[in-house]
Amino acid sequence: MLAESELPSEADDVAHPHCDALIIGAGFSGLAALYELREKLGLSVRLLEAGTDVGGVWHWNRYPGARCDSDSFVYCYSFSKELQNDWEWSERYAAQPEIQRYLQYVADRFEMRRDIEFGTRVTSAVYRETSNEWVVSTEDGQTFRCTYLISAVGPLSRVFKPPFEGMDTFEGDLHLASQWPEGPVDLAGKRVALVGTGATGIQMTPRIASVAAQLTVFQRTPQYVLPARNFLLDAGKQLEIKSTYDEIWAQTRRQAFALPIDDTKRLFSDVNSANRQRLMERAWELGGFRLIFEAFADVMTDEECNQAVADFVRNKIRAIVADPETAERLAPKNKLTRPQLGHHYYETYNRANVSLVDIKADPIESITPKGIRTASGEYEFDVIVFALGFDGGTGAMTQMGICGRDGQSLEEKWEAGPRTYLGICVDEFPNMFMVFGPQTCFANAPVISERASSWIAKAISHMREQGHRAMEPTPEAVESWVDHVAEVYYGTAYKHGKDAGSWLVGANVPGKPIAPQLYVGSAASYFDRIEQEVDDEFKGFTFDGQARVSR
Ligand code: NA7
């Protein structure tokens, strides 16, 4: 809570530029919001970005093997038919450089850069009731004023730093996957340690193994890794995509994870044992997330189904990995929730230069000048790479010094976990909107970001048409969304995420309260819910209320 004397005064306002909307973050979410608010609503918009270019998570996460897990042709915007027709994705799953090139292309094509300030990190954003404005300060000493504050900082941008002792004693090179250097990193012929086997570590493993003299992977919890089955999108496939884009987007918007596949309605109990196996084999061969969406409808809700699919993956691991001990170490013991996609991940453990250390059995004690010391001894390395994940969901927002009415900080507001309405707004934080904020839908991100941005534009239009100056959700609406997010989360296999240390429930960061960080219901139901709010003329909100002031 800020003291009254710390609240920004109006005395210096003339020195501080005002815009209608100020967006924080130039990733998929921020650029979508910039497009909606500037091009469609005609607002004056400023976008502040800490990095040196557009890209957001794709600017920072340039580690070897970084790639999206959604089909590239729906891991993009649908707001411009011309854009979607002109841009060609080269692979089923685009790699980081291509995704960043896409966002650079979008920024240039729609002349977004003129409204973006790069290298500008927000250090505080305080709502000032008297002028119904947000006063935003940056690390380099700038101050901005705006009516609408739009956070687009992403759910996975606050890095979880390695908590190990002795980090600064290591004589070789240390790298964090999510802060990978822009210049070349030479791993050829080196002895490399990789700590962490989440989505990031799983992508890095085959790439590092292909160049390093030796790769030692330190795994705490094994994951379910499905084969991605990447391929080049040839001219025929490009034509097919371009000529059916409307149908593809319609399919995507109906699908649980906003992917271009059809969710099956088939229950596990509908099928006999031989057919179950056949369905799982088919989904495994087609690759991607088909095993959890196309084989059976109840993988996340039926224990027996979850167990059968989990056993199927464990058996695949045993069939792929030649060394039985390594295979058992790689076989997950937890329930199957969101699997990861791998690009020859398990196969990589058959290479002579790759080994796996189980740090649950043999924990890391410290980083030493020569390498890593575990309970059983010391390993020597030239390079150590950490892929330990993020303070996901709330982490990026609570570090920005955001204070709503009466100087109440977001950190205080979310002391026991995120509390939002629809993952977009927070009570007592008038005119603050979030694109892909905590408790938004956990699904193919650009599709969610685009829908949320368009929803925010509709909310602001509604306010303007009705002559309102500010809106915020009612505490009751927030309570009902928080309850719904929890009910859905704890009604599925995701409820085991706490035991698995999942960031989705805040369990990976010591001391963080356990609470679902995202809504794990289907994207289709999320879209219906937020559109219903528009149709109901934003009945979960109060307008002007305490925010009303006379200028
Ligand atoms: P994740 O999925 O959170 O994975 C982090 C990994 O780091 C995971 O294997 C963790 O093991 C491991 N970890 C975290 N802290 C430690 C400590 N203290 N010691 C050892 N190992 C540790 O992050 P990613 O960046 O891979 O992926 C994030 C998201 O990106 C992913 O969910 C996708 O949606 C895209 P653990 O499992 O906690 O035992």
Side-chain angles (χ1 to χ4, degrees):
M1 180 82 76
L2 289 179
E4 209 172 320
S5 58
E6 292 173 291
L7 293 172
S9 96
E10 292 178 49
D12 303 324
D13 275 1
V14 344
H16 304 143
H18 177 275
C19 56
D20 295 325
L22 187 139
I23 301 168
I24 311 171
F28 268 104
S29 297
L31 298 190
L34 176 55
Y35 180 82
E36 283 287 335
L37 301 183
R38 197 184 72 182
E39 303 303 321
K40 291 209 191 150
L41 290 197
L43 302 188
S44 62
V45 182
R46 234 36 230 139
L47 191 157
L48 307 182
E49 163 57 52
T52 53
D53 202 350
V54 296
V57 73
W58 297 106
H59 173 74
W60 301 104
N61 286 263
R62 49 183 68 240
Y63 58 82
R67 201 177 271 288
C68 71
D69 281 348
S70 306
D71 303 70
S72 54
F73 51 92
V74 295
Y75 195 79
C76 55
Y77 297 123
S78 64
F79 65 64
S80 158
K81 284 217 153 77
E82 293 74 27
L83 169 66
Q84 85 184 10
N85 284 333
D86 291 349
W87 182 264
E88 295 216 327
W89 293 104
S90 67
E91 296 177 82
R92 179 182 184 185
Y93 299 104
Q96 176 271 333
E98 189 172 16
I99 300 171
Q100 194 171 18
R101 267 202 310 280
Y102 171 76
L103 289 171
Q104 289 164 337
Y105 177 78
V106 169
D108 292 336
R109 181 172 181 139
F110 296 97
E111 296 180 15
M112 292 176 168
R113 290 179 194 273
R114 67 179 146 91
D115 287 323
I116 305 179
E117 297 210 15
F118 293 106
T120 307
R121 185 176 290 279
V122 170
T123 47
S124 80
V126 180
Y127 178 67
R128 189 172 61 193
E129 185 114 39
T130 49
S131 61
N132 185 36
E133 281 177 316
W134 285 88
V135 180
V136 178
S137 306
T138 67
E139 202 169 57
D140 59 2
Q142 299 187 75
T143 303
F144 300 85
R145 297 178 295 130
C146 62
T147 307
Y148 313 111
L149 178 71
I150 321 287
S151 168
V153 294
L156 295 166
S157 54
R158 182 174 181 174
V159 178
F160 177 61
K161 296 267 172 60
F164 308 112
E165 272 177 32
M167 294 280 293
D168 50 3
T169 66
F170 183 57
E171 289 163 0
D173 295 330
L174 285 181
H175 294 293
L176 299 190
S178 45
Q179 291 176 353
W180 200 258
E182 291 198 29
V185 175
D186 186 14
L187 300 176
K190 305 263 171 72
R191 297 165 303 165
V192 182
L194 171 61
V195 189
T197 53
T200 302
I202 287 162
Q203 290 188 337
M204 294 178 96
T205 298
R207 286 291 296 277
I208 298 178
S210 69
V211 294
Q214 178 208 317
L215 169 65
T216 308
V217 180
F218 291 81
Q219 168 194 273
R220 196 165 63 177
T221 311
Q223 297 267 347
Y224 293 89
V225 185
L226 309 181
R229 310 245 188 254
N230 195 19
F231 51 76
L232 293 176
L233 300 176
D234 62 16
K237 188 69 188 165
Q238 298 282 359
L239 194 64
E240 183 192 320
I241 294 166
K242 299 277 164 83
S243 58
T244 56
Y245 239 133
D246 286 348
E247 288 92 320
I248 291 173
W249 283 125
Q251 181 188 39
T252 299
R253 288 175 192 131
R254 288 194 301 269
Q255 205 272 330
F257 218 71
L259 295 174
I261 51 182
D262 290 323
D263 289 327
T264 182
K265 295 205 164 41
R266 185 191 308 113
L267 299 178
F268 188 66
S269 55
D270 293 342
V271 195
N272 68 28
S273 147
N275 276 335
R276 286 172 183 166
Q277 189 67 19
R278 193 181 54 77
L279 288 164
M280 290 189 282
E281 290 289 353
R282 181 178 182 279
W284 178 269
E285 286 312 317
L286 287 171
F289 292 111
R290 286 166 192 270
L291 185 62
I292 52 166
F293 294 122
E294 275 190 353
F296 312 107
D298 44 358
V299 181
M300 293 297 160
T301 48
D302 180 80
E303 294 264 334
E304 197 190 347
C305 180
N306 192 284
Q307 174 79 24
V309 177
D311 284 343
F312 174 84
V313 179
R314 281 190 278 265
N315 286 335
K316 285 288 179 197
I317 298 168
R318 291 175 189 127
I320 296 169
V321 179
D323 173 42
E325 272 183 32
T326 306
E328 280 323 304
R329 256 179 261 148
L330 286 167
K333 317 297 178 275
N334 298 316
K335 296 276 179 207
L336 169 66
T337 54
R338 182 198 188 279
Q340 309 298 340
L341 294 194
H343 300 260
H344 312 291
Y345 178 66
Y346 292 127
E347 290 81 351
T348 302
Y349 289 93
N350 291 335
R351 296 178 65 117
N353 68 334
V354 177
S355 57
L356 180 67
V357 178
D358 174 359
I359 50 172
K360 216 164 229 165
D362 185 15
I364 294 180
E365 289 188 339
S366 64
I367 306 302
T368 66
K370 296 274 173 246
I372 295 179
R373 181 181 303 287
T374 67
S376 71
E378 187 177 13
Y379 296 79
E380 295 194 1
F381 298 108
D382 305 308
V383 182
I384 303 178
V385 176
F386 293 100
L388 300 184
F390 301 86
D391 180 352
T394 54
M397 287 199 70
T398 52
Q399 69 177 347
M400 275 197 301
I402 298 179
C403 294
R405 178 170 296 123
D406 301 326
Q408 179 185 202
S409 75
L410 203 53
E411 251 180 310
E412 291 161 326
K413 184 87 181 166
W414 290 352
E415 214 171 12
R419 298 185 61 77
T420 78
Y421 187 43
L422 308 175
I424 304 179
C425 295
V426 181
D427 56 315
E428 298 184 288
F429 289 71
N431 287 345
M432 183 183 87
F433 301 91
M434 302 175 291
V435 190
F436 222 110
Q439 296 182 334
T440 193
C441 184
F442 183 41
N444 180 22
V447 178
I448 302 295
S449 297
E450 208 176 349
R451 289 296 288 259
S453 299
S454 130
W455 188 96
I456 292 166
K458 287 178 194 162
I460 293 175
S461 287
H462 176 83
M463 260 195 288
R464 299 193 138 204
E465 281 159 21
Q466 302 295 319
H468 296 306
R469 302 176 65 233
M471 68 190 285
E472 64 185 284
T474 63
E476 295 75 28
V478 170
E479 185 72 30
S480 73
W481 185 247
V482 173
D483 287 350
H484 182 56
V485 167
E487 187 190 341
V488 173
Y489 186 90
Y490 290 106
T492 66
Y494 280 109
K495 67 182 173 212
H496 302 288
K498 176 172 172 288
D499 307 329
S502 169
W503 67 266
L504 262 175
V505 72
N508 64 326
V509 176
K512 188 165 175 169
I514 298 298
Q517 298 290 316
L518 292 172
Y519 169 68
V520 298
S522 82
S525 67
Y526 179 72
F527 297 147
D528 287 348
R529 180 64 191 83
I530 65 173
E531 288 315 320
Q532 187 63 47
E533 189 68 25
V534 178
D535 293 346
D536 291 345
E537 302 195 330
F538 302 92
K539 73 173 187 197
F541 287 79
T542 55
F543 295 90
D544 302 329
Q546 294 180 48
R548 184 188 312 199
V549 289
S550 49
R551 272 190 188 252

